[in-house]
Amino acid sequence: LDRGASIGEHVNSELDVLYLVVEGTGLLEIDGREQGLSQHSLANVPAGSTRTVRAAEDGLTYVTVHRRRGGLSLDRPR
Protein backbone atom coordinates (compact mmCIF):
# COMPACT_ATOMS: atom_id res chain seq x y z
CA LEU A 1 0.00 0.00 0.00
CA ASP A 2 1.27 3.48 -0.79
CA ARG A 3 1.88 6.02 1.96
CA GLY A 4 -1.38 6.71 3.81
CA ALA A 5 -3.43 4.30 1.66
CA SER A 6 -5.89 1.87 3.20
CA ILE A 7 -8.07 -1.12 2.51
CA GLY A 8 -11.51 -0.31 3.83
CA GLU A 9 -13.39 -2.21 6.47
CA HIS A 10 -14.53 -5.63 5.30
CA VAL A 11 -15.31 -9.12 6.54
CA ASN A 12 -14.14 -12.42 5.12
CA SER A 13 -16.59 -14.89 6.60
CA GLU A 14 -15.01 -17.95 4.95
CA LEU A 15 -11.31 -18.01 5.83
CA ASP A 16 -8.75 -17.16 8.50
CA VAL A 17 -6.10 -14.89 6.97
CA LEU A 18 -2.47 -14.53 8.05
CA TYR A 19 -0.73 -11.18 7.32
CA LEU A 20 3.09 -11.07 7.06
CA VAL A 21 4.64 -7.60 6.75
CA VAL A 22 7.57 -7.52 4.33
CA GLU A 23 8.38 -3.81 4.53
CA GLY A 24 7.05 -0.56 5.99
CA THR A 25 4.64 0.14 8.81
CA GLY A 26 0.93 0.56 9.34
CA LEU A 27 -2.10 -0.46 11.36
CA LEU A 28 -4.34 -3.49 11.21
CA GLU A 29 -7.71 -3.06 12.89
CA ILE A 30 -9.51 -6.29 13.80
CA ASP A 31 -13.01 -5.98 15.28
CA GLY A 32 -12.28 -2.42 16.43
CA ARG A 33 -8.90 -3.20 18.05
CA GLU A 34 -5.83 -1.64 16.42
CA GLN A 35 -2.56 -3.51 16.10
CA GLY A 36 0.62 -1.84 14.89
CA LEU A 37 2.39 -3.46 11.95
CA SER A 38 6.08 -3.28 11.09
CA GLN A 39 8.60 -5.33 9.11
CA HIS A 40 8.36 -9.05 10.00
CA SER A 41 5.08 -8.59 11.92
CA LEU A 42 2.75 -11.55 11.71
CA ALA A 43 -0.98 -11.22 12.42
CA ASN A 44 -3.83 -13.71 12.26
CA VAL A 45 -7.30 -12.48 11.35
CA PRO A 46 -9.95 -15.08 12.19
CA ALA A 47 -12.76 -15.77 9.74
CA GLY A 48 -15.77 -13.55 10.42
CA SER A 49 -13.70 -10.67 11.84
CA THR A 50 -14.08 -7.11 10.61
CA ARG A 51 -10.75 -5.74 9.43
CA THR A 52 -9.09 -2.63 7.99
CA VAL A 53 -5.46 -2.16 6.92
CA ARG A 54 -3.79 1.28 6.79
CA ALA A 55 -0.27 2.16 5.64
CA ALA A 56 1.81 4.70 7.57
CA GLU A 57 3.98 7.39 5.95
CA ASP A 58 6.58 4.86 4.76
CA GLY A 59 3.99 2.64 3.03
CA LEU A 60 3.23 -1.00 3.76
CA THR A 61 4.13 -4.14 1.84
CA TYR A 62 2.60 -7.37 3.08
CA VAL A 63 1.63 -10.87 2.00
CA THR A 64 -1.55 -12.67 2.96
CA VAL A 65 -1.77 -16.42 3.41
CA HIS A 66 -4.96 -18.45 3.60
CA ARG A 67 -6.43 -21.80 2.74
CA ARG A 68 -7.16 -22.20 -0.94
CA ARG A 69 -10.61 -21.14 -2.07
CA GLY A 70 -12.56 -22.61 -4.93
CA GLY A 71 -11.45 -21.40 -8.35
CA LEU A 72 -12.84 -18.34 -10.07
CA SER A 73 -14.64 -18.75 -13.36
CA LEU A 74 -15.92 -16.47 -16.07
CA ASP A 75 -19.40 -16.88 -17.45
CA ARG A 76 -20.33 -16.19 -21.04
CA PRO A 77 -22.14 -12.89 -21.65
CA ARG A 78 -25.92 -13.20 -21.57
Side-chain angles (χ1 to χ4, degrees):
L1 295 173
D2 290 332
R3 172 177 40 147
S6 65
I7 297 185
E9 185 176 279
H10 63 287
V11 175
N12 179 339
S13 58
E14 299 175 31
L15 303 169
D16 293 344
V17 178
L18 189 65
Y19 284 75
L20 172 62
V21 178
V22 177
E23 188 173 74
T25 57
L27 288 172
L28 172 62
E29 186 177 315
I30 305 170
D31 292 332
R33 293 182 303 272
E34 288 188 348
Q35 174 179 329
L37 296 173
S38 59
Q39 189 174 19
H40 303 138
S41 291
L42 192 60
N44 181 55
V45 180
S49 299
T50 301
R51 64 180 157 235
T52 303
V53 181
R54 289 188 298 275
E57 291 301 310
D58 55 347
L60 182 64
T61 303
Y62 64 92
V63 193
T64 58
V65 181
H66 52 77
R67 190 181 80 239
R68 184 176 180 182
R69 297 184 198 195
L72 298 175
S73 64
L74 298 175
D75 291 332
R76 292 180 175 225
R78 295 179 186 185

